Structure formats: structure tokens, C-alpha cells
Amino acid sequence: MNRPPPSSPERSDLMRRVRRRGTAPETLVAGMLRALGLAYRLDVAGLPGRPDFANRRRRWALFVNGCFWHHHTGCRAATIPKANRAFWTEKLAANRRRDAKAIRALRAAGFRVVLVWECETRRPEVLRARLACLLGDRRGRPVPEPEPAQGP
Ligand SMILES: [Zn+2]
């Protein structure tokens, strides 16, 4: 892999943070899913795109996306570094293509796919309501789950 050096200490810190599993946004989402009574598996390698959270039986998969790495459309954090601009443009576009492919494959397999963007975790009350709406039942109540949650 021919990776250019980070353009700044700040960027280097960002790269470290977003490439690790169990980041603050993921921990927050895990807590919300548990509070909704939703069972999940973490970092599900057997599904397209390796979702951060999924429940195969309930047919949902959730990705917690860093706004930089997954190039969140319209988001302030979705910048392209000035240094090595061509590399980053292609790299981030490739990430987007890979994400889109995984989402298509999951949907084709009957999964509800939920994307949580890192910037959404700054408004947890809004995010919590969205997750309840997307993954709860029609009346907005959590779906009862016989499987034990596998949390951190
Ligand atoms: Zn964002």
C-alpha cells in the first residue's frame, strides 16, 4: 500500500482514531441499541461490508461511518486533504464505492441498512430517536429480542 504521510499531526490523530474499532461513536451507538432492547453482533465479518452492528435474524445491519473516511455528503468533516489531493480523491471515492456496494448487497439479502454518521453522534437525542424509529417496531417501541446482546 502506497500511503502518503499524514499532512499534519491533527490528521495523523484523526487517522488513528477512525481506523480503530470501538471508537466513541460506536460505543455511543452500542449503548443506544442496548437501551432500545436490540440485540446485535459487533463487527460482523460474515456480512457484506462487515457492518459494525448487525442482527442477522432480524435482518438489520448498521454502519457507524467516520465522516472523513466515508466522505459524508455535505458534511463539513468530509474534506479532501490538500497534500496528495489526487490520491485522497481516489481513495475516498473508492471508499464510497465500496460502501455503496456493501449496502446494495445487504439490501438485496433483505437487510435494513442503517448508516450512522460520526457527526450525528454530536446530537445523541436526535440519533436515539432515529434509531428507535428505524429499528423499533411500528409503534416506536423496541423490538423484543430473545437473543442476548453481545456488547463491549
Ligand atoms: Zn458528517
Side-chain angles (χ1 to χ4, degrees):
M1 180 83 84
N2 190 15
R3 191 184 301 285
S7 51
S8 70
E10 211 175 74
R11 175 69 62 206
S12 166
D13 181 55
L14 176 71
M15 288 169 74
R16 261 199 302 277
R17 210 166 59 238
V18 297
R19 285 186 166 280
R20 202 175 53 208
R21 294 276 164 187
T23 58
E26 286 171 18
T27 305
L28 182 75
V29 169
M32 288 180 180
L33 294 175
R34 283 198 301 273
L36 287 168
L38 296 163
Y40 56 81
R41 299 276 167 199
L42 284 168
D43 200 12
V44 187
L47 291 176
R50 196 171 184 141
D52 295 296
F53 302 92
N55 185 317
R56 278 192 175 84
R57 205 168 56 75
R58 295 280 173 188
R59 306 304 265 186
W60 61 261
L62 186 154
F63 295 90
V64 180
N65 282 350
C67 297
F68 172 76
W69 284 106
H70 298 268
H71 215 63
H72 186 196
T73 306
C75 178
R76 277 189 314 170
T79 56
I80 295 180
K82 287 191 183 74
N84 302 301
R85 199 171 177 84
F87 168 87
W88 283 108
T89 300
E90 175 45 33
K91 167 89 181 153
L92 296 171
N95 287 353
R96 293 275 305 200
R97 285 195 296 272
R98 198 170 51 238
D99 290 348
K101 193 177 165 196
I103 291 166
R104 277 198 304 274
L106 285 163
R107 285 187 178 146
F111 279 78
R112 263 177 299 169
V113 180
V114 179
L115 296 181
V116 172
W117 293 95
E118 194 178 8
C119 62
E120 286 184 278
T121 62
R122 287 198 287 271
R123 297 177 66 197
E125 68 293 340
V126 176
L127 177 58
R128 192 178 295 115
R130 190 161 84 85
L131 292 179
C133 182
L134 287 169
L135 297 174
D137 72 6
R138 287 210 184 95
R139 285 162 294 196
R141 288 193 314 227
V143 178
E145 268 298 340
E147 290 175 23
Q150 182 199 35

